[in-house]
Structure formats: structure tokens, C-alpha cells
Amino acid sequence: MPQTPSLTQHLLDLQRAGTLPAQYPRLGALLAEADEAELARAGRLLSRLDPEAVLAEHPSAPALTVAVTGSGTVASVAPALAAEAARHSLVLRTVVSSYDSWLFDLTDPTSELYAARPDLVLCVLDPTSLLAGLPTPWTVDDLRQTLDARLALVEKAADQFSAASEGTLVLNTPPLLRSLTGQLVDLRSRARAGALWREANIRLLRIAESHPAVVVIDTDPLVAEVPAQDPRWSAYAKAHLSPEFLARYAREAGHLARHLAGRTKKVLALDLDGTLWGGILGDDGSEGISIGEGPAGEAFAAFQRVVRQIGSQGVLLAAVSKNDPEPVDEVLRHRHGMELRPDDFVRVTANWQPKHLNLTDLTDALNLGVDSVVFLDDSPYECGLVRRELPGVAVVPLDDEPALHIEKLLRDGWFDTRELTAEDRKRSLRYRDELVRKDFQHGFDSIQDYLDELGVTVSLDPARDSDVPRLSQITLRTNQFNLTTRRRQPADVQALLDDPEALVLAVRSTDRFGDNGVVGAVFARREGRALVIDNFLLSCRVFARGIEQTCLTALLRHAAATGADAVYGAYLPSPRNGKVAEFYPRHGFTAADTVPGLDERLFRHDLRDLPKVPAHIHLDTPLEGLTP
């Protein structure tokens, strides 16, 4: 039976039975391999689903409010967004503005867009956004003046949004249409018009450089996949971008929404046979596999180069293969044509254990959740098994056509992030070092003996402007040791740094194996004579070393030394932060009054019995109240 009707019918059956909200977390697996037509149909159905009904069934599900505005009819963005949200298990409250209202929406702080307090604003710019006011007839000079005037309005809107909203604004480069340049009959003028349009889009792309709250989607890659406009939709419905184009746009926006919700993936786990090379190593031998030579071998090598490029930007690469370890190691170290080598991976697992168990062992060793993994394999059996046993893993099924591997890997932007930091580029090395630490630990009779020899130094310092991207990233990516799971964009962190009543601290650590970099953050503020910890976060790489106790001790002693009579801390449960539910009570806090109807739990420390820094840790901090 074809997949498309059965999937559509399944969703309809859930809707008619009234169980669609309850089954919402399962939709990601159902939609994982849906084609474009099926996603469009699913989106139309899911856009009618009440997000509050879903949240009533799943109150801890990640939820965002999204406002959609633009210069044309943009209502068709909502169904495409609904499908993308379901694929990634996000709940979106989507508010769509009326026709051609983008300028008013963004420049008037009393607009309905601002009233919705959106986490994400999609301002869909089509070619008419930049062409309003172009006279008839027109010349290239007229086009230049019109583009300058319209871009000034876009920049004004970005300025206003940055000043008035705590959300993220998404702009895009409008595609250049043949229906515009074709109006010029001489090729020289046509070329000048094309240059002007591209210069305008470059100017748009650079808005993000000066506005931390703005993201700009470059639509050139989307235009390479689908037509940018359907003349009939444009003429009769004022929808100046095609439904197919808007579906691709919604996919890009969905990747950003997933990132803002803290659902960015961290690990790329790859099969070997049929995935990184052609053939079966156990049957064909090292020289018999296809890699680097011939059309198929060159396609596998090109795929490996893309994987290595992704790994160079902080994504943790792992190999998970049903093979004997010795021949795998031989291929990775010495086989000509290989682009990936052992040092590119945080771990290479080659054994005959089921792959879902190997993935669980991998994430346990890295101290990550299985939902941080993207898994690629050419075996339908292995993909199906992992999808069934580990539903949090993003499974990307491949096939026997290696030329399509790159497209399938990149399609969903699993690792997309707002900004790459220096910490990202060092992440793979630091996780490999962490596995060495664990091997080192096995040589000791007790954890305390291990910690004594590890030589941990913790620095707890007021954050600097240069720390802002990393601290924002920690709030977006850290899920386990995250007391309230409040996500903060760079502009939010910068605003706290500029607030004299706020205290923003960066946590750094080193040990005998090297520098771990910025591994945590503390956000606090003064309220009268109390210090309130808004959030406390720590990277999963450095759990269980006493760093969390050290930082909390430093903060309590600082509060006492600066006249506070109490410190308050909140814990807001989430699906991933259960291990820190008792963090405050374990360190001398007692339950305080909470707000009825809210899940947030509040704790209070009276500063009478102050803890000590663990003996195995050296604390380096300029905070008042602590001795060097």
C-alpha cells in the first residue's frame, strides 16, 4: 500500500477519534519520511490543531509563539510550519498577520504582533517588498533608488524590533525573478539590475551582523530547488512566493525554532558499510570496499568530506558499525581514499551488538541524552530498530545511492545554530579528552581518589561581552543541568550584562588533561536584600566533579558578604532536567512559597550555615567574600 494515503488516513483517524493531541509526540516518527505532498497535506490538517490541547496533554513539550507577517499573502506558511513543528515534536502557537502589514507590525510597538509576545517572528519578504514605488516605465537608476528606499525601511523595522522585543526576527533575501529583469531589453542593463538586486540582498544578509536579534535566511539555495513564484498565485491571491518555496522556507524556519527550543542535535552517529564506503568490509576486505576511486567511490569520499566539515564545527562524530574492530581500525588509519580518520571521531564502535544498544552506550559515555543523536544507516532494518527502540534519536535512512547521502544528511539542518563560537570548534577534542578522563578514572579505587588526582580548577567570573555568544549557547543547548530551562538569545544575555542589578557569571574549568573552557553559567539578580538565582547551568561534560557545589558555595558566600539575608533558587521541571530536581535541597536550601498552578519550585537559603568548597577543587574568583 502506498505510504501517502495511509499516513494521511492515519492522521485523519486520530483527529476524528479526538486523540491527535495525545498522540502528538509520535507524529515525528510518522512524518519522518513523508514526501513533500504528504507533508503539505499533513500541515493543512495539523494547522487546525489547538496547541493548547496538545500542551494540556504534554505540559512539558517545548512550545514557542511564532508570528508570521510579510508583504504579500503569507497564510500558507502556517500549515507548512505546523508540519515542520510536528516533525520535530515542537508545539507552535502561530499568529498570522493580515495582508501586507509587515512594516506596521514591526515598527509600531502597539501592533498585534508585539501584543502576542512572540518568541520568533517570520517577516516573509517577497520581491514586491523591495519594488514598491518603482515607477512605470523604469530604468536601472530608478531600481537603485527604489531598492535603497525599501531597504532603509527594512533596516528601520529591524532597529525597532531589536529595541522593543525579546524574540528573534527572521528576514530573508527576496528571490530575483525573470519577470523583473526580462522587462529590460538590453543585456547590459539587465546585468546591472541583477547586480543591484544581489547587492541589496547582501545588504539584507548583513543586517544580522549588527542586530543580534535578527536572523536572515538566504533563499538562493531554496530557489535552486523549487520555483520561487507561481504567476497565478501571485496575480489572484497576492501570494508572491510559491507554495513549494514557502514549504522550503518553513523548513529553514523550523530548524531555527528547534534550536530556540533547545533541541539542537549534538552527535552524528554513522554506520560504515554502505554509508561511509561502498561494499561490506567483512566480505570484501580493506582493498575491496569502494572509496575514493570510480564514480561511487568518489561519491562516498565527497560524503566523508561533508561529514568531516560538520565535525570541525563542534558536532561530535561517532562510528557505529557491525564489524570486527581490527579491520575497521585498519581502514580508518591506512586505507587510501579515506577522508575521515580515527581522530575525527569521539568514538568508533565496531562490534556485533544491536546498534540501539551501542548508541545508548555512546551517549552514556558522553553524558548526553539519546535525543541528542542523529543516526545515519543504509539498512532499513537498523533504521527501523533504532527508531523503535530510541524514539528520541533522529534517524536519517540512506540507500544504495551514495550521491544522495549529502542531501539527506543536510536536509533537516539538525546541527544548525545561531552562531558558531570558539568553544564549538574545540568541542570534539574536549569530549575525546573526557573519554580519556573516564579511562583514567578506572585506575582508582574510589571516585574521591580520582578527583584528588584530577586537579580541577574552577574560575567563576563576571561575564564579559566576549562571553555572550557562548553563554547564550549554553542556555539553548544544555538540557540536563539546567535548573529552569529558560532559553536566552545573545541579546537577552547582553541585556543582563548591562543591567546593574543582574549578576551574570561564566564558569570555566581546567584539570590535568587541559582547559575545558566555559562550561557553565549563573544568572542571578538582586531583589531588595535577597539574591535570586534565575538559572544555573552546567555542561554535561563536567558533571559529578564538584564544580556545581563549588559555584553554588561561591555564590552563597558572595551573597552573605555583600549584605544579602537570603538566596533564592528556582527549579522548573522539564523532561531532561530531573537529575537536578534535588540540587538546592542537597545544598542546604529549604522549600519556599510557590505560586499555585505553576510547576516552578522555589527554594531558600538563609545563609546561616555556609558550605565549603570541595577540598579537591581550587577556586579562582574575584567575587567578594571568598579567599583566594
Side-chain angles (χ1 to χ4, degrees):
M1 179 181 293
Q3 179 192 20
T4 296
S6 63
L7 178 53
T8 303
Q9 189 60 52
H10 184 65
L11 292 175
L12 285 171
D13 290 344
L14 291 175
Q15 182 190 47
R16 290 165 182 161
T19 58
L20 191 53
Q23 296 297 316
Y24 190 80
R26 297 181 56 200
L27 301 187
L30 293 173
L31 297 172
E33 296 184 61
D35 60 26
E36 303 300 331
E38 185 59 35
L39 277 177
R41 281 190 285 270
R44 288 192 289 272
L45 187 152
L46 292 170
S47 65
R48 300 192 294 270
L49 181 62
D50 181 3
E52 302 308 323
V54 177
L55 291 171
E57 294 281 349
H58 311 283
S60 62
L64 297 173
T65 298
V66 180
V68 183
T69 188
S71 54
T73 302
V74 293
S76 62
V77 174
L81 275 176
E84 293 299 323
R87 290 183 65 233
H88 301 304
S89 298
L90 303 178
V91 180
L92 299 185
R93 303 179 182 94
T94 304
V95 181
V96 181
S97 294
S98 56
Y99 169 75
D100 196 22
S101 61
W102 69 274
L103 189 57
F104 169 77
D105 284 341
L106 294 177
T107 57
D108 187 343
T110 66
S111 68
E112 292 184 4
L113 183 147
Y114 285 106
R117 300 180 62 83
D119 303 291
L120 186 63
V121 175
L122 307 181
C123 180
V124 185
L125 300 176
D126 60 55
T128 67
S129 310
L130 301 187
L131 294 175
L134 185 66
T136 302
W138 58 275
T139 66
V140 174
D141 285 339
D142 292 325
L143 179 62
R144 182 194 306 276
Q145 294 174 14
T146 300
L147 290 175
D148 282 344
R150 298 300 292 178
L151 283 169
L153 292 177
V154 176
E155 289 164 345
K156 176 183 177 182
D159 289 340
Q160 180 63 51
F161 181 87
S162 297
S165 176
E166 296 180 354
T168 297
L169 171 63
V170 179
L171 303 173
N172 63 277
T173 57
L176 175 61
L177 302 178
R178 177 69 170 77
S179 59
L180 175 69
T181 59
Q183 297 176 37
L184 298 170
V185 297
D186 69 292
L187 297 182
R188 189 176 298 278
S189 294
R190 196 176 292 175
R192 288 178 59 207
L196 286 173
W197 193 272
R198 289 169 176 84
E199 289 166 1
N201 277 342
I202 290 171
R203 185 171 160 186
L204 267 170
L205 288 166
R206 286 182 172 154
I207 289 177
E209 296 177 4
S210 56
H211 295 76
V214 177
V215 172
V216 184
I217 294 176
D218 185 358
T219 63
D220 278 358
L222 310 187
V223 176
E225 295 181 349
V226 294
Q229 187 182 75
D230 184 321
R232 295 163 297 181
W233 279 91
S234 180
Y236 303 135
K238 305 302 180 186
H240 303 302
L241 296 170
S242 72
E244 297 85 358
F245 179 92
L246 289 176
R248 294 297 197 281
Y249 170 91
R251 180 179 298 162
E252 297 295 315
H255 302 166
L256 177 59
R258 185 182 63 217
H259 171 66
L260 297 180
R263 304 296 286 265
T264 303
K265 302 294 186 178
K266 301 177 182 178
V267 180
L268 176 56
L270 302 129
D271 171 49
L272 296 179
D273 293 336
T275 297
L276 290 188
W277 57 66
I280 306 298
L281 178 59
D283 296 339
D284 303 321
S286 175
E287 294 305 316
I289 60 175
S290 176
I291 179 66
E293 297 178 351
E298 291 172 357
F300 281 112
F303 177 62
Q304 286 195 24
R305 286 193 290 272
V306 171
V307 169
R308 193 177 188 199
Q309 169 66 19
I310 290 173
S312 72
Q313 299 167 89
V315 175
L316 307 179
L317 304 182
V320 181
S321 175
K322 284 188 173 178
N323 262 304
D324 292 323
E326 292 80 7
V328 167
D329 185 67
E330 176 68 20
V331 168
L332 291 178
R333 291 185 183 280
H334 304 298
R335 176 63 158 84
H336 60 86
M338 286 290 297
E339 299 287 342
L340 289 164
R341 296 299 182 184
D343 285 348
D344 293 311
F345 298 93
V346 293
R347 171 166 285 186
V348 175
T349 301
N351 58 32
W352 299 97
Q353 183 173 250
K355 290 189 178 179
H356 70 279
L357 297 180
N358 281 330
L359 290 176
T360 301
D361 291 343
L362 170 69
T363 53
D364 286 346
L366 297 174
N367 209 4
L368 295 171
V370 292
D371 58 356
S372 65
V373 176
V374 177
F375 173 65
L376 274 69
D377 201 309
D378 66 310
S379 166
Y381 168 79
E382 299 290 357
C383 289
L385 181 62
V386 170
R387 185 174 282 143
R388 187 189 70 189
E389 297 296 327
L390 302 174
V393 171
V395 177
V396 179
L398 305 176
D399 54 29
D400 57 1
E401 178 47 84
L404 299 180
H405 283 11
I406 294 173
E407 177 185 343
K408 291 178 179 179
L409 168 59
L410 300 180
R411 177 178 183 266
D412 275 305
W414 295 111
F415 309 105
D416 286 1
T417 184
R418 284 281 294 271
E419 182 179 358
L420 202 64
T421 69
E423 294 289 329
D424 292 323
R425 298 189 184 280
K426 299 174 182 176
R427 183 176 293 114
S428 294
L429 176 61
R430 285 175 171 158
Y431 270 93
R432 285 200 297 271
D433 288 345
E434 181 57 26
L435 294 178
V436 173
R437 287 182 183 91
K438 291 192 174 182
D439 291 339
F440 177 69
Q441 177 183 339
H442 293 157
F444 292 89
D445 294 331
S446 71
I447 291 293
Q448 190 58 54
D449 290 343
Y450 161 69
L451 292 173
D452 290 341
E453 291 296 322
L454 192 57
V456 179
T457 293
V458 173
S459 298
L460 186 66
D461 304 305
R464 304 180 292 266
D465 288 347
S466 58
D467 294 323
V468 167
R470 172 59 178 161
L471 297 183
S472 169
Q473 185 184 70
I474 287 174
T475 73
L476 294 170
R477 295 174 66 98
T478 302
N479 294 301
Q480 296 182 68
F481 198 108
N482 187 335
L483 271 296
T484 62
T485 61
R486 294 190 179 103
R487 314 295 179 181
R488 285 191 165 91
Q489 302 306 314
D492 303 326
V493 177
Q494 186 65 57
L496 289 173
L497 278 185
D498 297 337
D499 182 351
E501 298 300 318
L503 181 63
V504 181
L505 302 174
V507 182
R508 295 173 170 84
S509 78
T510 62
D511 57 39
R512 67 179 295 160
F513 293 102
D515 185 357
N516 290 304
V518 178
V519 296
V522 177
F523 298 94
R525 66 184 185 278
R526 284 282 190 175
E527 291 189 1
R529 295 195 61 195
L531 181 69
V532 179
I533 304 173
D534 180 76
N535 203 4
F536 183 8
L537 310 98
L538 198 65
S539 169
C540 54
R541 285 190 288 119
V542 294
F543 283 178
R545 298 180 194 170
I547 295 175
E548 56 271 39
Q549 178 183 338
T550 298
C551 293
L552 187 60
T553 295
L555 197 61
L556 293 173
R557 290 179 173 271
H558 170 70
T562 53
D565 58 12
V567 172
Y568 290 86
Y571 168 68
L572 182 62
S574 78
R576 294 283 304 280
N577 72 355
K579 66 170 55 182
V580 294
E582 299 301 317
F583 175 71
Y584 286 122
R586 280 200 308 268
H587 292 91
F589 286 71
T590 56
D593 293 337
T594 57
V595 179
L598 294 182
D599 289 334
E600 186 172 285
R601 305 171 194 170
L602 190 64
F603 299 92
R604 181 180 186 274
H605 198 293
D606 59 16
L607 300 178
R608 293 178 183 173
D609 185 12
L610 297 177
K612 295 181 179 180
V613 173
H616 68 273
I617 289 183
H618 172 71
L619 173 63
D620 180 13
T621 178
L623 293 180
E624 185 177 347
L626 289 118
T627 56

